[in-house]
Amino acid sequence: MVEADTVIAVNDLKKSYGQVKAVNGISFSVKKSEIFGMLGPNGAGKSTTIEMLVGLRERESGEINVLGFDPQKKPEEIKRRIGVQLQTVNLFPKLTVKETLLLFSSFYKNSLDVDTVIEKFGLQEKKNTLICKLSGGQAQRVSVAISMIGNGDIIFLDEPTAGLDPQSRQQLWEVIIDLKRQGKTVFLTTHFMDEAQSLCDRVAIIDHGQIVAMGSPQELIDKYFNEKSLELVHPVLCNNPRLGELQGVTRVSCTDCNITIHSTDIVRTVGALFELTEALGIQLDDFKVRQANLEDVFLKLTGRRIR
C-alpha cells in the first residue's frame, strides 16, 4: 500500500547485465516535495535505477510505482508528468539553445516560459547559439533546462552538475532548491558528497547495486560517527601504523598521502600527534579538524572513497 504523499515507491528492484548485478534488490520510497539523492560512485547502479523509474529500461524483477503508475506498463502516463536529464543526451546540433527549448516545451501542455528558463540557467548570451557550438558545461546546462521545461511533478536529474564550473554548479543548486519550494519532487543522483549533503532531504547510499544506508545526511552522520576528523597531507606519515595508536583514534585512512584520522578525543589526538612527529623528527606544517561528513560515512560503509 503506497502512502498518499509517496510519489515513488520501489520494492526489491533488480536488473542484471549478464553476470553483473547492476541493481541488486533495492527498496525505497520518495515523498512529494522531497529532494531525494542516490549517492554512489560510477557503476554503482544509479543511472540504471533512474532509467527503470522513468520507463526507459525494463526491470528484471521487483515493483515500481511512480505517481500511481508502473513505468513498464504505463510509460506515457508517467512521461507526461516528469522531467528527465540523463548523463548522455543527444541534442539536435543544428538547433539553437532557444529553438531546442521551444521544441521540448511543445511536448507538454503546461510547459514553462522558455525565456524564463533560459535566464534561470544563465544561458541568455547563448540562446541563439547552435547546440554544436556549445562547450560541454553549456550543453549540460541545456540538458538540465530541458528536464524542467515541461513543469513536471518529479524532476529526475542524473549527475546534473558533472562538467560544470563552480559558478554554474552553484546556480543549478539554487534552481533545484527552488523546485522544492514550488512543491516539486527532485530525484537526484550524484557522486559529489557536498552536493548531496547540501541539497538532499534524504539520501540512499548505493554501492555495487545495493543500498547500504539511507536517511537524511545528518542522520547518517550521527548514526555512523561520534568522532571528529583530523586531516593532513604528509608522505612520510602516510600508512605509519603508529597513527592508529594515538589517543582517541578509532580509524586512519590514507590515499595519495592524504591522511584522515578519526578520533573521539580530538584534543588528545592532536597532542599525541605532535609528540609523534617530534619523536620522528618530522615537521608538521598544516592540518585541519572537521566534523564527519557523508564522505566519511561512505568510506566507513564501503571501505573506499568516491573518485
Side-chain angles (χ1 to χ4, degrees), residues 40-263:
N42 292 332
K46 305 187 304 297
S47 295
T48 298
T49 299
I50 276 193
E51 290 169 359
M52 289 189 286
L53 290 178
V54 302
L56 293 177
R57 192 176 298 277
E58 291 190 0
R59 62 188 180 269
E60 186 175 301
S61 62
E63 299 175 347
I64 303 176
N65 185 302
V66 178
L67 295 169
F69 300 100
D70 183 331
Q72 205 159 298
K73 297 176 180 178
K74 298 282 187 179
E76 296 306 317
E77 294 291 340
I78 293 173
K79 288 174 184 176
R80 289 190 299 106
R81 297 177 56 190
I82 66 173
V84 184
Q85 170 264 326
L86 299 176
Q87 282 191 53
T88 303
V89 61
N90 294 317
L91 301 176
F92 299 100
K94 297 303 181 181
L95 291 182
T96 66
V97 170
K98 185 168 184 177
E99 288 169 343
T100 299
L101 290 172
L102 284 169
L103 173 64
F104 279 91
S105 70
S106 70
F107 300 156
Y108 300 92
K109 290 183 178 180
N110 301 308
S111 59
L112 300 174
D113 177 71
V114 168
D115 288 322
T116 300
V117 173
I118 286 174
E119 182 179 357
K120 184 171 288 190
F121 282 87
L123 291 165
Q124 300 96 316
E125 295 182 1
K126 296 294 180 180
K127 67 179 181 180
N128 295 317
T129 301
L130 296 178
I131 293 294
C132 63
K133 300 292 185 181
L134 299 177
S135 68
Q138 291 162 352
Q140 178 78 348
R141 278 188 277 162
V142 173
S143 177
V144 179
I146 289 170
S147 73
M148 300 182 186
I149 197 73
N151 199 22
D153 297 317
I154 307 176
I155 309 298
F156 291 89
L157 301 175
D158 193 9
E159 306 282 5
T161 62
L164 295 186
D165 59 82
Q167 183 178 356
S168 296
R169 191 168 177 239
Q170 185 63 47
Q171 188 175 27
L172 181 54
W173 284 14
E174 293 169 4
V175 171
I176 292 171
I177 292 169
D178 190 51
L179 286 170
K180 176 182 170 65
R181 293 194 194 102
Q182 296 173 36
K184 308 290 186 184
T185 301
V186 178
F187 187 101
L188 169 77
T189 75
T190 183
H191 59 259
F192 295 122
M193 297 293 184
D194 60 333
E195 187 161 277
Q197 191 162 336
S198 298
L199 294 178
C200 296
D201 298 301
R202 288 188 303 134
V203 297
I205 296 178
I206 186 170
D207 190 36
H208 297 301
Q210 294 185 311
I211 292 175
V212 296
M214 187 160 52
S216 74
Q218 195 58 53
E219 285 172 349
L220 293 179
I221 292 167
D222 291 343
K223 179 177 180 180
Y224 292 102
F225 280 93
N226 60 2
E227 308 108 314
K228 290 184 179 179
S229 298
L230 188 155
E231 296 181 341
L232 61 149
V233 179
H234 205 291
V236 177
L237 280 175
C238 195
N239 295 318
N240 188 314
R242 294 178 66 180
L243 291 177
E245 300 170 359
L246 300 179
Q247 286 182 296
V249 171
T250 58
R251 188 166 52 87
V252 179
S253 62
C254 182
T255 305
D256 299 331
C257 299
N258 293 284
I259 304 168
T260 302
I261 302 171
H262 300 285
S263 171

Side-chain angles (χ1 to χ4, degrees), residues 21-27 38-39 44-45 204-213 302:
K21 295 180 179 180
V23 176
N24 190 16
I26 65 174
S27 301
M38 185 162 277
L39 177 63
I205 296 178
I206 186 170
D207 190 36
H208 297 301
Q210 294 185 311
I211 292 175
V212 296
T302 68

